[in-house]
Amino acid sequence: MRSRPRDDNSGGGAVAVTDAAIDKIKQMIMSGELAPGDRLPKEADLAERLGLSRNSLREAVRALALINVLDVRQGDGTYVTSLQPHLLLEAMSFVVDFHRDDTVLQFLEVRRILEPAATAKAALNMPDEEVKELRAILDALPRDPSVEELVANDLLFHRRIAAASGNPVLCSLIDSLSGPTTRARVWRGLTQEGALDDTREQHVMICDAIAARSPEVARAWATVHVAGVEEWLRRAL
């Protein structure tokens, strides 16, 4: 008679059992046995098949649901999500929110690497209609905006550009890095003279370069734009 799998509830043992359960479900997805959108077998059947206790399986499912690999639907079952980059990288956004002030510069350094690349790709890929919409975003900013309005407009502007890069992973990475740097933008807007005019000018130059289909010019202006925030913050900290 086959013995029933048993949980080890003592400290690290419980964690190890859950990790093993997570790894087994992960292997089912990576092997193609479970595809995006597939429903997992019933809990009792899957636990038996994987040699796990039902408690361990539940803990593994909870953990994978937290990082958007699985979707638990009450009364319907558990499904593999679409596994799209924007879903999987949401977990990184959550972790990034716990940054300390002295690590903001590190996030800005990463943005300075990624955002110009996305902007250059957008200059090649963004449809003409979306270029018009990008310019409309800039035109929608009031003549004398509050810092909050400026930051919201800036975020929308850069999200549209990142999306137009045509690379969902790159877009999701940039979006996940926007949280910690938003505070830096607010500080800059509150304390640095000329920050608003500089931001407006740089946004217009980026938009013009995208409209002209000049990827290297677009890359250069995006670098100047992010580096300006970074340089100010280095002096302020």
Side-chain angles (χ1 to χ4, degrees):
M1 178 177 172
R2 182 176 176 178
S3 61
R4 183 182 176 184
R6 181 171 56 87
D7 281 330
D8 182 350
N9 292 319
S10 58
V15 174
V17 170
T18 301
D19 285 347
I22 290 171
D23 190 58
K24 289 182 178 182
I25 297 173
K26 175 183 172 183
Q27 290 303 320
M28 291 179 71
I29 296 171
M30 291 178 64
S31 69
E33 188 175 353
L34 286 173
D38 281 357
R39 180 177 177 174
L40 269 65
K42 291 181 179 180
E43 182 183 270
D45 295 340
L46 185 59
E48 177 73 17
R49 176 178 168 186
L50 296 179
L52 300 168
S53 73
R54 294 176 70 168
N55 283 340
S56 294
L57 181 59
R58 287 188 197 120
E59 289 300 319
V61 167
R62 287 192 193 102
L64 291 170
L66 283 173
I67 58 173
N68 295 326
V69 171
L70 297 179
D71 178 21
V72 180
R73 304 175 190 174
Q74 293 299 325
D76 187 23
T78 300
Y79 293 78
V80 181
T81 68
S82 66
L83 302 179
Q84 290 295 312
H86 73 275
L87 274 178
L88 300 181
L89 289 171
E90 275 183 14
M92 189 175 80
S93 299
F94 179 79
V95 172
V96 164
D97 285 339
F98 289 100
H99 79 287
R100 302 186 311 274
D101 288 347
D102 60 355
T103 62
V104 175
L105 274 172
Q106 296 170 19
F107 289 113
L108 280 167
E109 287 173 356
V110 176
R111 270 195 60 211
R112 182 161 46 82
I113 295 168
L114 298 181
E115 219 161 282
T119 306
K121 288 175 69 65
L124 298 174
N125 297 330
M126 183 178 276
D128 291 341
E129 189 59 37
E130 291 186 17
V131 175
K132 292 178 182 177
E133 293 173 1
L134 191 66
R135 204 175 292 281
I137 291 171
L138 300 183
D139 293 341
L141 188 67
R143 182 175 296 275
D144 187 23
S146 66
V147 173
E148 289 74 19
E149 287 174 326
L150 177 61
V151 170
N153 188 272
D154 188 42
L155 283 169
L156 181 58
F157 179 76
H158 288 291
R159 280 178 180 149
R160 289 292 185 89
I161 291 173
S165 71
N167 186 319
V169 175
L170 181 58
C171 179
S172 295
L173 283 170
I174 290 172
D175 197 48
S176 68
L177 291 168
S178 294
T181 56
T182 297
R183 283 181 68 187
R185 291 196 194 103
V186 172
W187 297 339
R188 186 185 189 212
L190 288 171
T191 62
Q192 183 171 318
E193 185 178 354
L196 172 58
D197 291 338
D198 288 347
T199 297
R200 283 186 186 274
E201 179 187 7
Q202 290 159 11
H203 280 179
V204 169
M205 297 308 292
I206 290 170
C207 191
D208 286 349
I210 291 173
R213 306 303 177 191
S214 300
E216 293 311 312
V217 176
R219 184 195 304 272
W221 275 110
T223 302
V224 167
H225 182 54
V226 179
V229 181
E230 184 182 347
E231 180 184 357
W232 167 81
L233 189 57
R234 285 186 189 282
R235 293 196 303 266
L237 289 177

